Amino acid sequence: MTGPIQTRREGGILEVTIDRPKANAIDLATSRIMGEIFAGFRDDDSLRVAIITGAGEKFFCPGWDLKAAAGGDAVDGDYGIGGFGGLQELRDLNKPVIAAINGICCGGGLEIALSADMILAAEHATFALPEIRSGTVADAASIKLPKRIPYHIAMDMLFTGRWLDATEANRWGFVNEILPATQLMERAWELARLLESGPPLVYAAIKEVVRAAEGEDFQTTMNRITKRQFKTVDILYSSDDQLEGARAFAEKRDPVWTGK
């Protein structure tokens, strides 16, 4: 695929690369393209895992394209399916997404990374929420970040806009692994292949339950699981895959997942 977003597909894995020189910033048109891509990933049963990364070695994504904004792109314009970057508000995305951070990851770029399920970072990657310096709110990050890392660290980032290196990001827990830049994508694909081999119906149930649990008390979510009130849980517990998992365990063999 040509244009500001490059895609590569191998088996059940989709790699999505932001490719907008010089900095991989996202304008309205690019956001809409990303929304179509990630909605297609969500709705394609043959795709199991997505990787999102940036082109080049310096930038993952700095977020909103301020030059496009100066040229007329409205900050409250049409970002397309899934909101900014196609991921932040994409409903029912019940498949694993890996962010491979290859450089500067700030503002809306960090918010996109926070929309992934796992984050891998190159050793030179850096992270920040600099919106405070331009008099705006890091909206999605203000909602998500205090739930992912210690509250006081999140507020420090939001209030000051300071930069974190990969080591500090890993220490606070929003980066899973730090890797040499030359090994970043190799590791992302290794992890994606591991997830591709896993049970898609279980992944779907996990993601739906985790999303619901962010806004509910423990017992409410537990009751909804045990009563099969989550669509994904109901599908899982009525599936061939659930039976296959039990059989494989009893027979001491690897399960063969079909997603049915």
Side-chain angles (χ1 to χ4, degrees):
M1 182 177 182
T2 59
I5 304 298
Q6 308 295 324
T7 59
R8 169 191 169 195
R9 176 172 179 165
E10 181 181 301
I13 302 170
L14 179 68
E15 181 184 278
V16 179
T17 303
I18 307 168
D19 188 5
R20 292 194 74 230
K22 298 179 179 179
N24 295 333
I26 295 174
D27 60 3
L28 289 177
T30 301
S31 181
R32 290 193 289 267
I33 292 169
M34 294 175 73
E36 294 289 343
I37 289 171
F38 282 111
F41 164 70
R42 175 195 64 190
D43 298 338
D44 186 339
D45 290 340
S46 67
L47 288 172
R48 301 286 182 88
V49 186
I51 301 168
I52 181 164
T53 192
E57 299 177 353
K58 186 175 181 181
F59 291 96
F60 169 71
C61 177
W64 179 238
D65 187 337
L66 294 179
K67 289 184 178 179
D73 266 13
V75 69
D76 58 350
D78 179 12
Y79 291 106
I81 302 169
F84 183 78
L87 276 176
Q88 285 190 168
E89 302 170 65
L90 186 59
R91 293 179 177 274
D92 301 323
L93 178 53
N94 291 328
K95 299 175 181 180
V97 178
I98 301 165
I101 309 302
N102 55 304
I104 292 172
C105 176
C106 64
L110 178 50
E111 291 175 328
I112 290 171
L114 290 172
S115 299
D117 301 297
M118 303 180 76
I119 301 176
L120 308 180
E123 290 171 329
H124 69 286
T126 53
F127 305 84
L129 294 166
E131 284 88 342
I132 188 74
R133 297 173 185 173
S134 59
T136 58
V137 175
D139 45 18
S142 296
I143 297 167
K144 293 181 178 180
L145 195 60
K147 298 178 181 178
R148 309 289 178 81
I149 67 174
Y151 172 85
H152 299 96
I153 305 304
M155 298 308 288
D156 177 13
M157 293 181 67
L158 289 162
F159 282 164
T160 69
R162 76 177 181 88
W163 288 85
L164 278 63
D165 61 19
T167 299
E168 185 174 2
N170 177 252
R171 182 164 75 245
W172 298 127
F174 70 87
V175 166
N176 294 84
E177 298 180 38
I178 303 171
L179 299 137
T182 55
Q183 298 175 21
L184 177 67
M185 293 312 297
E186 178 183 352
R187 175 57 181 151
W189 274 84
E190 178 185 33
L191 181 57
R193 291 186 182 101
L194 173 65
L195 296 175
E196 181 191 22
S197 69
L201 297 183
V202 177
Y203 294 151
I206 289 170
K207 289 200 67 170
E208 186 177 18
V209 168
V210 168
R211 282 198 307 271
E214 285 192 338
E216 297 176 348
D217 64 79
F218 172 82
Q219 198 58 56
T220 296
T221 307
M222 280 297 296
N223 290 343
R224 293 179 64 195
I225 295 170
T226 57
K227 294 177 181 178
R228 294 170 61 160
Q229 292 176 350
F230 291 105
K231 180 180 178 181
T232 53
V233 173
D234 188 49
I235 290 172
L236 171 64
Y237 289 163
S238 301
S239 70
D240 292 337
D241 272 5
Q242 199 277 326
L243 294 174
E244 167 63 9
R247 290 193 198 101
F249 180 82
E251 296 169 8
K252 298 181 180 180
R253 60 173 174 80
D254 291 333
V256 178
W257 308 115
T258 64
K260 298 179 181 178

